[in-house]
Amino acid sequence: MPEDVQMSEPQPAVAPAAAAAAPTPAPVPSTLQNLKEIASVIEVGSLSKEVRRISRAVRLTIALRRRLAAGDVSAFLAFALPASSDAYARLTSLLPKEDETEMDVDATAPATQISIKQGLPEIEIYCSLLVLIFLIDQKKYDEAKSCAAASIARLKTLNRRTVDVLGSRLYFYYSYVHELTNSLAEIRGNLLGLHRMATLHHDELGQETLLNLLLRNYLHYNLYDQAEKLRSKAPRFEAHSNQQFCRYLFYLGKIRTIQLEYTDAKESLLQAARKAPLAARGFRIQCNKWAIIVRLLLGEIPERTVFMQKGMKEALTPYFELTNAVRIGDLELFRAVAAKFASTFSADRTHNLIVRLRHNVIRTGLRNISISYSRISLADIAKKLRLDSVNPVADAECIVSKAIRDGAIDATIDHSNGWMVSKETGDVYSTNEPQAAFNSRIAFCLNMHNEAVKAMRFPPNSHKEKESAEKRRERLQQEEELAKHMAEEDDDDF
């Protein structure tokens, strides 16, 4: 019995000690509290004319996007906008009427009082952007279109550099909601007017965004000539946004592909795929699909690692089988693959390009034949290439003649006997091809180094002024927030 009593005594004493040692979790602020803090960041950026603070507010908003509820947005509008303003009446009328219990409230959060200066244009545009994003997420596209139209009309009356970042996001969602409702043609004139206004206001970020939206608008309706005319006449400058630059390269690659400028198209598409963030998987898949087709049209065979990239294997399977058919030079297999994945190629808008590949398949098969045989009859060539025309021998003679003229094969035609006589293949290292390949790789590395140096940002007079502890703390906090929300922001953008 004494042993039992002694063993039971320490237990109640240990429990309070353990409970006291356990750290209490920090209270999580509510969505409304986060929105108020974002509004204060915008206010500071507006009054101090610091665009980087407005950009930070947009990043923080993207992180809150999945937590937004109608009650949070309504309460924030009441906090940020004057109750008698037209903007408040217009935006609140677009929000759905829901129960107050759905609002994200945390009673344990500290009641920090935040007040902002009402009437700032940046706050008004931010409220419009917040409501527009919420309506799109709720799939209320008619209300989102009316909200976007009214917000764009209000944006036309402003010419402030601190509004440019918010305006560029507003342009993006303005076009996005019309794309979701298949009405992009309706806003093309408005986008051209907005691009002209952004050019006159020297809003370079707005110009970048609107140029990409216009190119997307034209390409959506296969208006490649108009897209190229706009692209060639639009002013160009140093890119301000990596996402917008990636989009521009992708659209440029598509235009160059349709115009048969495959070398430039390949460079643009591969650069877009490299520069795109890892989170933008869908965008990178599209870049790789078009780049694979362009490389096949150039007579190149993409490496197997291109098709085995993480998260892309299933999406690139049709293009892998197509590449295999082109590599073998089997025209029958090429037809089978094109018919099997016809719906996929039509959805990707690459079907017309795949039709162009038929000649490349025939040329690849002919090159394999010329390497394997020193002399072969034209009838056997037609049979091996599986030409299904009325006069396959005559077609084979034309194909061989064109391949010899283009330099695809090194052979001659004996018309009297109906033969193709292949010449002996020489040593490739005795030519200038290795030198050209080595030179192109060096140029690529130097170009990448120069772009990396240009992309580096140095604060002014950083070598003269020493950073204070408070500024260093603020800078590290912003860098941590940027790294935390970059993936979500990139995924949303692409």
Side-chain angles (χ1 to χ4, degrees), residues 407-482:
I409 59 174
D410 191 7
T412 57
I413 298 178
D414 186 350
H415 295 281
S416 59
N417 296 319
W419 292 336
M420 181 188 77
V421 181
S422 301
K423 298 180 181 178
E424 293 185 5
T425 57
D427 184 11
V428 70
Y429 290 100
S430 63
T431 65
N432 292 330
E433 288 188 18
Q435 179 183 354
F438 191 54
N439 181 62
S440 65
R441 294 181 183 183
I442 292 176
F444 171 75
C445 293
L446 291 175
N447 186 39
M448 180 179 291
H449 173 267
N450 293 335
E451 288 184 358
V453 172
K454 289 179 182 178
M456 296 175 68
R457 296 181 180 179
F458 301 95
N461 300 324
S462 60
H463 61 288
K464 298 179 182 178
E465 301 177 358
K466 290 187 177 180
E467 191 177 31
S468 63
E470 183 179 356
K471 288 185 177 180
R472 176 179 174 79
R473 202 161 41 244
E474 182 181 359
R475 178 177 60 81
L476 292 176
Q477 181 183 1
Q478 292 182 6
E479 290 178 356
E480 184 179 354
E481 290 175 354
L482 177 62

Side-chain angles (χ1 to χ4, degrees), residues 24 29 127 150 181 220 269 294 310 384 389:
T24 57
C127 291
T181 55
H220 181 78
L269 291 169
V294 170
K310 185 178 180 181
K384 288 183 178 295
S389 57

Side-chain angles (χ1 to χ4, degrees), residues 293 318-319 322 337-339 341-351 354:
I293 297 294
Y319 295 86
L322 187 71
V337 172
F341 299 105
S343 59
T344 303
F345 297 143
S346 298
D348 295 337
R349 298 195 173 192
T350 56
H351 185 267
I354 290 169

Side-chain angles (χ1 to χ4, degrees), residues 314-340:
E314 183 178 353
L316 296 180
T317 298
Y319 295 86
F320 175 73
E321 295 190 18
L322 187 71
T323 302
N324 189 43
V326 175
R327 180 182 62 84
I328 297 173
D330 190 339
L331 193 58
E332 194 66 30
L333 179 60
F334 173 77
R335 293 196 192 103
V337 172
K340 179 181 178 182

Side-chain angles (χ1 to χ4, degrees), residues 260-279:
L260 307 180
E261 300 176 11
Y262 297 135
T263 304
D264 294 340
K266 171 191 168 185
E267 182 180 352
S268 297
L269 291 169
L270 291 179
Q271 190 177 2
R274 282 195 302 266
K275 285 182 173 290
L278 294 176

Side-chain angles (χ1 to χ4, degrees), residues 138-294:
Q138 298 296 317
K139 294 182 171 53
K140 298 183 179 297
Y141 298 135
D142 293 335
E143 293 85 348
K145 287 169 71 172
S146 61
C147 175
S151 303
I152 293 295
R154 174 69 175 114
L155 197 61
K156 289 180 179 179
T157 63
L158 302 174
N159 184 14
R160 296 161 66 102
R161 298 286 71 81
T162 48
V163 179
D164 292 346
V165 177
L166 298 171
S168 66
R169 302 299 299 173
L170 205 56
Y171 299 145
F172 172 78
Y173 288 110
Y174 174 57
S175 177
Y176 181 57
V177 69
H178 282 82
E179 183 176 353
L180 291 174
T181 55
N182 197 23
S183 57
L184 277 176
E186 299 176 4
I187 62 169
R188 191 179 303 150
N190 291 337
L191 292 178
L192 288 168
L194 290 170
H195 185 269
R196 182 171 59 250
M197 183 188 72
T199 304
L200 295 175
H201 290 173
H202 303 285
D203 176 11
E204 294 186 351
L205 182 58
Q207 291 179 62
E208 271 187 331
T209 305
L210 288 165
L211 176 60
N212 285 331
L213 294 176
L214 283 166
L215 292 178
R216 184 179 183 87
N217 196 308
Y218 283 123
L219 298 185
H220 181 78
Y221 295 100
N222 296 323
L223 302 175
Y224 288 91
D225 290 338
Q226 289 89 326
E228 172 57 21
K229 289 177 182 177
L230 172 67
R231 189 208 63 79
S232 60
K233 297 293 175 60
R236 292 300 303 160
F237 38 80
E238 186 178 355
H240 290 263
S241 170
N242 180 62
Q243 292 87 356
Q244 298 300 332
F245 187 50
C246 288
R247 284 197 189 94
Y248 175 77
L249 290 173
F250 177 60
Y251 298 144
L252 177 60
K254 294 179 72 172
I255 294 171
R256 290 285 183 260
T257 303
I258 298 299
Q259 294 178 336
L260 307 180
E261 300 176 11
Y262 297 135
T263 304
D264 294 340
K266 171 191 168 185
E267 182 180 352
S268 297
L269 291 169
L270 291 179
Q271 190 177 2
R274 282 195 302 266
K275 285 182 173 290
L278 294 176
R281 188 175 62 180
F283 179 81
R284 290 169 56 231
I285 287 174
Q286 288 297 319
C287 289
N288 278 284
K289 286 180 178 179
W290 279 74
I292 289 167
I293 297 294
V294 170

